Amino acid sequence: MIQTAWLIPIFPLVAMAAIVLFTHRHRALSAGISIAAVSLSFLWGWSVAVSVWGDPTVHRMSFDWLNLGESMYIPIGIQIDGLTGMMLVVVTTVALMVQIYSLGYMRDDPRYSRYYAYLSLFTMAMLTLVLADNFFLMFVSWELVGLASYLLIGFWFEKQSAADAGKKAFITTRLGDLGFILGLLLLYTGCGTLTFQGVFSAVDSHVLSGGLLTIAGLCLFAGAVGKSAQVPLHVWLPDAMEGPTPVSALIHAATMVVAGVYLVARSMSIFLAADRAAMVVAWIGIITSVMAASIGLVQNDIKRVLAYSTVSQLGYMIMALGLGGFTAGTFHLMTHAFFKALLFLGAGSVIHAVHTNDIREMGGLHAKMKTTSITFLIAALAIAGVFPLSGFWSKDEIVAATLGHPIFTVLTLAVAFMTAFYMFRLYFLTFTGKPRDQHKFDHAHESPKTMTVPLQILAVLSVVSGWIGLPWLEHGFSSVVFHEHPHHPEFHVVWAFIAALVGLSGIGLAYMMYYKGSIDPERVRARATGLYTTLLNKYYFDEAYSVLFVRPYYTMCRGWFWFDQHAIDGAVNGLGRVSVAWSVFNRWFDETFVDGAVNGVGWLTRGFGAIVRHLQTGRVQNYAFIVFAALVVLWLLQ
């Protein structure tokens, strides 16, 4: 299977081409082709992952793409190791669940075939990214992921908010990608190659070191900041909720947003050698995590709560990698993909039933949507880190990675508390209590099996996926997905208990406020109005960016537009008018003087000819008379 691993991204690529060129008018056929293709990728991906499980060998296959001799040589190929196998499992599993779920969710959309073509493009790009064996191919697929995400976020482009969200995501992530490009240029300058093997060998042998290595690492991380929505480029991700909910699950669970985490994990040799860059990574991660978790406490849009949860959990992963916790960061990436996809698809099931995103208009939905409610509860327990669900084991790894860094440990636990609180605030307000909008409740219903079966599969994975990370397993997660050498992390019973207790405390507080009602949320809000307003307005990042960048840019554009209209176009129009006037003058001068002079010469010549022609009559007597007259004149003049 390893020898044919290159087929994994080819299947969705062929599906996209088939839909665009041949089957776009046939809705069911287009969906069937797309799902069949991702199913093949799923089977191939899992087979490859099983093949490399327990095998520390790194398998590479490549061929020359650009060979200009000594001036430039760029090969293209695939690399398969434990990290690649894990990412193949995550991407193909979530992509397959999303595509099956979309059969019911997008059933009535008029652009149904186009939607599945975009999903296939997105899946192909992400699979190429995780299989790449060099930074160049990774960057190409990185940009394709950005393009596909733009198309999917703005899929309902007739809505102004969706069109704006797509542009915002595309432009914001391009800022980070500029840093990525600079990082690639620095790596090629210092190493003479962009293959992972060549770059990491140059780093290990100190061919690339010092300040250049630090700057190159930070430039690569800039790309991760954009794609994985880290501060200060995090503002695009909550607005991306304007896309279809299955798209949100795909983007926020296993594809676009974890591409940045994967980039940092794949470049771990660089960040371990550049300790200053690694510490910047860790601080950006924890700041993002705390900030996003605090914003999630007060959001009322079900998808925005989950969006800020995603930003926060991505910060967790980034922080762990920055602190050297390779296993912790990648393990949480895997478990998070399953329960976050489940949360988003569960939210989509709710929205599909009540036709609103506002949790203040929900309540009591457990009675009518038991499958959605139970699976959503499992995902909420998993992300809160409750034993023995998957989130418990990966979050323990995250906490363990912070030991020795007290500030990071405290903030990590604070994020764990806030995560548990806002997730169960969301759950209680959505599924328990009395309906707050009776009309919406009366029309609520459970989703079709095409939507609930993926929920059930992801619920099982949310429970058991973390078990492969049990520290006492001989061939567990840390023995397969590792950096430099496999290891068996120590299980910190005390810290695991503390982290679980913190999560349960967050659940308990949410229970007291939003289920039991013994603590009045309105009174708490009234006592902290300023903080509540700040959190509700997302720390005013969008407003600050509007004042600092957007409005000045628009002002500059309006100024250039005025200059173009009045100066450039005015000058061009003025030259045009001068040209017209000059043309009129030339025409008048030509008609009046040139043509007159030419005609006058003609008339003069004709008149002179008319006179002198009498001198040449051909008659002898005339010639004799002229000679006699001339002699008379000469005689008189003497």
Side-chain angles (χ1 to χ4, degrees):
M1 297 304 296
I2 292 176
Q3 298 301 318
T4 58
W6 58 272
L7 287 170
I8 296 173
I10 296 298
F11 295 131
L13 176 62
V14 171
M16 182 204 69
I19 294 171
V20 171
L21 297 176
F22 305 111
T23 68
H24 57 279
R25 297 183 185 277
H26 306 281
R27 294 162 54 90
L29 182 58
S30 296
I33 290 174
S34 182
I35 293 174
V38 78
S39 298
L40 289 173
S41 296
F42 170 82
L43 295 174
W44 245 263
W46 272 82
S47 299
V48 170
V50 171
S51 300
V52 299
W53 194 263
D55 179 10
T57 306
V58 178
H59 304 272
R60 296 185 180 92
M61 292 175 284
S62 64
F63 63 91
D64 293 348
W65 180 75
L66 180 64
N67 191 346
L68 301 179
E70 296 181 357
S71 59
M72 181 173 289
Y73 170 63
I74 299 178
I76 280 186
I78 63 174
Q79 173 175 308
I80 300 173
D81 55 11
L83 180 60
T84 305
M86 182 273 290
M87 290 297 296
L88 289 175
V89 167
V90 167
V91 173
T92 58
T93 302
V94 175
L96 179 59
M97 295 300 103
V98 166
Q99 293 215 17
I100 295 173
Y101 179 94
S102 298
L103 288 172
Y105 192 88
M106 300 294 291
R107 179 181 54 203
D108 299 324
D109 195 279
R111 293 189 291 271
Y112 192 75
S113 295
R114 180 186 297 185
Y115 172 80
Y116 272 98
Y118 289 168
L119 286 183
S120 296
L121 173 64
F122 198 108
T123 305
M124 179 276 295
M126 191 65 197
L127 290 172
T128 305
L129 190 152
V130 301
L131 283 166
D133 76 332
N134 63 85
F135 285 105
F136 176 78
L137 181 57
M138 176 183 276
F139 181 75
V140 172
S141 52
W142 183 278
E143 293 302 301
L144 283 175
V145 168
L147 170 63
S149 66
Y150 164 76
L151 296 173
L152 286 168
I153 293 169
F155 183 74
W156 289 323
F157 54 82
E158 62 274 10
K159 291 170 54 182
Q160 187 62 42
S161 57
D164 291 342
K167 289 186 290 185
K168 186 175 183 179
F170 191 79
I171 294 170
T172 304
T173 54
R174 292 293 77 72
L175 295 175
D177 293 352
L178 176 60
F180 195 173
I181 294 174
L182 295 176
L184 297 187
L185 294 176
L186 290 173
L187 290 178
Y188 192 83
T189 300
C191 306
T193 181
L194 288 176
T195 63
F196 296 146
Q197 184 180 18
V199 170
F200 300 152
S201 296
V203 171
D204 293 339
S205 59
H206 304 290
V207 173
L208 181 64
S209 61
L212 183 62
L213 178 62
T214 299
I215 295 173
L218 290 176
C219 287
L220 291 180
F221 181 59
V225 167
K227 273 291 191 290
S228 291
Q230 300 295 286
V231 171
L233 300 180
H234 65 286
V235 293
W236 69 267
L237 194 144
D239 288 355
M241 297 299 98
E242 292 294 337
T245 300
V247 170
S248 301
L250 193 62
I251 290 176
H252 295 168
T255 51
M256 181 175 179
V257 293
V258 299
V261 180
Y262 174 76
L263 171 62
V264 176
R266 183 57 78 188
S267 308
M268 199 66 181
S269 295
I270 295 175
F271 292 104
L272 289 180
D275 53 348
R276 293 182 180 178
M279 191 51 63
V280 171
V281 171
W283 275 109
I284 291 293
I286 194 60
I287 290 171
T288 302
S289 188
V290 172
M291 182 206 69
S294 61
I295 295 175
L297 297 173
V298 300
Q299 296 299 307
N300 297 310
D301 185 308
I302 187 172
K303 290 175 67 176
R304 285 185 177 268
V305 174
L306 299 179
Y308 280 107
S309 171
T310 299
V311 176
S312 180
Q313 297 300 305
L314 291 169
Y316 253 6
M317 303 171 205
I318 292 289
M319 176 206 65
L321 293 172
L323 294 176
F326 181 88
T327 302
T330 54
F331 187 28
H332 196 59
L333 184 158
M334 184 190 71
T335 60
H336 172 266
F338 297 131
F339 55 68
K340 184 52 63 68
L342 175 54
L343 288 168
F344 269 108
L345 295 183
S349 181
V350 171
I351 296 169
H352 184 264
V354 298
H355 303 289
T356 182
N357 290 27
D358 195 335
I359 58 177
R360 293 170 297 184
E361 299 177 7
M362 301 178 189
L365 292 177
H366 175 79
K368 289 197 168 187
M369 307 179 68
K370 287 186 171 58
T371 300
T372 300
S373 175
I374 293 171
T375 54
F376 197 96
L377 176 61
I378 292 172
L381 290 169
I383 197 173
V386 174
F387 179 86
L389 281 73
S390 60
F392 171 82
W393 304 103
S394 60
K395 190 164 290 187
D396 172 67
E397 290 276 356
I398 296 286
V399 174
T402 66
L403 298 181
H405 305 275
I407 296 177
F408 286 95
T409 303
V410 171
L411 293 177
T412 297
L413 293 175
V415 170
F417 176 84
M418 289 188 286
T419 300
F421 175 82
Y422 66 64
M423 283 310 308
F424 276 85
R425 169 181 177 266
L426 176 61
Y427 179 80
F428 291 137
L429 288 176
T430 302
F431 293 102
T432 67
K434 295 180 180 179
R436 287 178 291 279
D437 189 315
Q438 192 62 43
H439 176 73
K440 289 182 170 59
F441 177 80
D442 291 339
H443 289 80
H445 55 85
E446 185 59 273
S447 299
K449 288 191 178 297
T450 54
M451 297 172 65
T452 56
V453 170
L455 297 181
Q456 294 166 346
I457 295 173
L458 289 170
V460 173
L461 291 172
S462 298
V463 175
V464 305
S465 62
W467 296 354
I468 65 171
L470 299 177
W472 48 81
L473 289 180
E474 182 179 356
H475 294 294
F477 186 87
S478 57
S479 297
V480 178
V481 182
F482 57 85
H483 179 70
E484 293 184 347
H485 56 82
H487 68 285
H488 295 276
E490 180 183 355
F491 181 64
H492 299 270
V493 178
V494 174
W495 284 107
F497 177 78
I498 292 173
L501 184 61
V502 167
L504 291 173
S505 299
I507 296 174
L509 181 59
Y511 174 82
M512 299 295 289
M513 293 180 68
Y514 297 102
Y515 184 84
K516 193 76 171 177
S518 55
I519 300 176
D520 186 3
E522 294 299 328
R523 293 183 62 184
V524 176
R525 184 183 307 165
R527 292 182 179 180
T529 303
L531 177 60
Y532 175 81
T533 303
T534 300
L535 296 178
L536 192 63
N537 288 281
K538 301 159 287 188
Y539 291 101
Y540 298 100
F541 268 95
D542 286 318
E543 290 79 2
Y545 286 169
S546 179
V547 172
L548 294 175
F549 303 110
V550 178
R551 291 180 186 174
Y553 177 74
Y554 282 166
T555 301
M556 181 183 70
C557 289
R558 284 193 291 268
W560 284 116
F561 180 75
W562 180 92
F563 182 78
D564 179 68
Q565 291 288 302
H566 295 82
I568 304 299
D569 289 354
V572 171
N573 292 335
L575 290 173
R577 287 191 289 269
V578 170
S579 177
V580 171
W582 180 253
S583 177
V584 172
F585 173 76
N586 278 337
R587 184 177 177 183
W588 173 83
F589 184 82
D590 181 67
E591 291 177 351
T592 304
F593 292 97
V594 177
D595 289 353
V598 171
N599 292 334
V601 171
W603 292 331
L604 181 63
T605 303
R606 181 182 297 174
F608 182 73
I611 295 173
V612 300
R613 71 181 177 179
H614 294 293
L615 299 178
Q616 299 292 334
T617 63
R619 296 177 180 178
V620 177
Q621 60 269 29
N622 290 344
Y623 297 154
F625 174 76
I626 292 173
V627 170
F628 175 77
L631 291 175
V632 171
V633 170
L634 290 175
W635 179 75
L636 292 175
L637 291 175
Q638 289 182 351

